[in-house]
Amino acid sequence: MLTRSKAATLLLVTGVLTGPVVCSLPEAVFALEGNSGKDTVELPLKVIETLEELQEDYLPAISDLHVDYFGNRSDSYIINLSDRKSVSKAGTSLNLVIDSGHNISSLTYIDPYRDSTKKPDKKKGYIKAADFLHKNMWEDYVAASQPMLVSNRGSARENLVVVPLYPRLHQVPVMKEVGQVMVDADGQIVFYDKQQEKLPLEAEVANPRQAIALDKAKEAFARELTMELVYDTKSDKLVYVPKSMSIIDAQTGEVIPSITVQESKIVDIKGSADGWRWGDQKKMEELLANEFQIAIPTVNYKHVNENNKERGADLYQWVNPIYQSATLIVDRQSRELIELKVEGSKRDGIDKKWSEAEAEKHAIAFVQKYLLSTEKSFVIKKSRLVDNLPGWVDQNRVNPVSSYQFYPHVNGITTKEPMFTIEVDAKKGSVVLARVAKLSNLPTTLATDKLIDMDTAKRSFLGQATVDLSYWYPQADTQTAKLPQLVYMPSLETSSIQINAATGEKEEFWLEWKE
């Protein structure tokens, strides 16, 4: 623990406040004088103890931060700290909410100088998050049994370990994320938050006593499981992964039909993006005007992290509060696109509706013109909503967005992850998302003569797989069913398993957490 003299650094200069400090605990005193000559306020002893424990056990980096604000909200304390006095690390901050029981109920630590390329330790990150939750979370929530990784390149949260939180009904997890704990590669808790989710009454959902036996659910899951052989560019090996994993209705034992349709085809694309360099404001604005009909004079341009030299990616925004806005993330070193996203309505209000064929044509054309500079063959996997959606879906609110994933391949064996992901809004008549993954080169040939076969891979996978009883909300586009279904679904551990195609052994990989 820290000494009392160290705790004295956690002081508040009252000159930053707009009004007097009101504290519910008697330990809060107006007794010390700051260097500026203004009155200072000592924090309540319990708050200081919470900060000491946070620094000692979970976030050592806050030792040099200064308190900018301290106040009350209902029965909680709000504390904002920053490193505003440091020239070399300006911008580092901590926003904290401590409840009446002196538990941390919200934490956001921002360090613009964090090395986002540093890879975290999966096991250590999960243990740290679990320990933090054990001490600070009292609600009837359950933490995910498997940590996830923020893999969005260029994101401020890239390479953070994430442990999602879920509520419960009838002591059964409801697979609707209501909070997260995030841990950096140094083992520090850098984010924690949870929301009060309004759940249906227990009487409104199926009772777990009505569920079929677990063995019956496993049998249904096994019957429907299909595997595929892919090339894992991260480990440089061929592996078998599930092509699809079914969700089982826990009351009937039947497979719940998917509300998406998936199709695939092989397409050769001769790229013409040679010489195109992302990051040039003029070029990017020409693209936004020509491809998306964004009126550049009507938007506010901002190079968000221009002065942050530690980041590996540049974030650009063109914002219009009424019409279309665009966000681009560009690799700072290679000047390659990481992600482009366009949101909002077109200025003229007239949508150029595309057919499915036209949507696919425009997705391929975008890759050809702006992302690919050589000739390459892809397996394009298309995903869209089924034509006949369930009754709970409001058909008038469905947004017909199709996703096209471009997988490099050798004789039909694709990479595990797509190189390009393009989303097209057919109703709007526009590409709305382009994402580029950083993949190592696929070998020109892949030897398959000494691999285990598909059936052996499936048996090996099922030997490790488990299904969990859960409440699950069906979703279609942005719509969610009013009530959750009681289902058996693959566990998070099962979703993170692949089978080594050469040895038949189980291998684990990170599950991705999407922001």
Side-chain angles (χ1 to χ4, degrees), residues 37 181 192 201 232 245 249 254 291 294 370 414 482:
V181 183
Y192 172 52
L201 300 175
D232 184 359
M245 290 195 291
D249 187 314
E254 299 293 325
E291 293 288 337
I294 293 179
Y370 298 110
T414 71
K482 182 180 178 181

Side-chain angles (χ1 to χ4, degrees), residues 150-205:
V150 181
S151 56
N152 304 57
R153 284 198 301 146
S155 164
R157 291 174 170 172
E158 182 180 5
N159 280 324
L160 292 183
V161 178
V162 181
V163 178
L165 307 175
Y166 306 100
R168 295 195 292 183
L169 282 170
H170 291 292
Q171 299 301 305
V172 172
V174 181
M175 301 310 289
K176 189 174 188 179
E177 194 170 319
V178 294
Q180 309 85 24
V181 183
M182 298 187 184
V183 186
D184 69 12
D186 295 322
Q188 298 187 122
I189 303 292
V190 295
F191 183 85
Y192 172 52
D193 194 25
K194 56 191 184 302
Q195 301 83 39
Q196 294 296 327
E197 182 69 25
K198 185 177 180 180
L199 296 175
L201 300 175
E202 289 190 343
E204 294 181 288
V205 299

Side-chain angles (χ1 to χ4, degrees), residues 27-28 121 139 158 176-177 179 231 237 254 274 312 331 333 338 349 361-362 377 383 398 404 443 455 481 485 491:
E27 290 88 347
D121 183 284
E139 294 93 343
E158 182 180 5
K176 189 174 188 179
E177 194 170 319
Y231 180 76
K237 65 180 69 169
E254 299 293 325
D274 191 30
D331 187 285
Q333 184 174 1
I338 295 175
K361 178 182 176 181
H362 283 277
S377 183
S383 178
V398 172
Y404 301 87
D455 289 338
Q485 288 182 249
S491 66

Side-chain angles (χ1 to χ4, degrees), residues 1-2 13 44 53 103 108 110 112-113 131 146 194 196 233 303 345 412 417 429 433 439 445 496 509:
M1 299 292 286
L2 300 181
V13 179
E53 183 178 16
N103 302 304
T108 302
I110 298 175
Y113 309 93
D131 182 66
Q146 187 81 191
K194 56 191 184 302
Q196 294 296 327
T233 60
H303 185 173
S345 303
E417 300 171 339
L433 174 75
L439 304 181
T445 59
S496 65
F509 59 89

Side-chain angles (χ1 to χ4, degrees), residues 11-76:
L11 300 174
L12 168 69
V13 179
T14 59
V16 304
L17 296 178
T18 57
V21 175
V22 180
C23 299
S24 59
L25 294 181
E27 290 88 347
V29 294
F30 299 80
L32 301 178
E33 184 175 305
N35 294 332
S36 64
K38 298 180 179 180
D39 289 338
T40 58
V41 180
E42 185 174 4
L43 303 180
L45 181 59
K46 290 292 186 180
V47 172
I48 291 176
E49 290 175 352
T50 301
L51 287 167
E52 287 176 336
E53 183 178 16
L54 176 65
Q55 178 187 330
E56 184 174 311
D57 297 337
Y58 304 110
L59 191 51
I62 67 172
S63 59
D64 295 324
L65 299 187
H66 306 273
V67 178
D68 286 335
Y69 175 82
F70 173 66
N72 295 81
R73 181 182 66 195
S74 185
D75 60 348
S76 298

Side-chain angles (χ1 to χ4, degrees), residues 104-123:
I104 295 172
S105 57
S106 176
L107 180 157
T108 302
Y109 176 70
I110 298 175
D111 179 8
Y113 309 93
R114 179 180 71 90
D115 181 3
S116 60
T117 64
K118 188 175 180 180
K119 302 294 183 182
D121 183 284
K122 189 176 183 180
K123 183 177 180 180

Side-chain angles (χ1 to χ4, degrees), residues 98 123 217 256:
I98 300 174
K123 183 177 180 180
I256 296 177

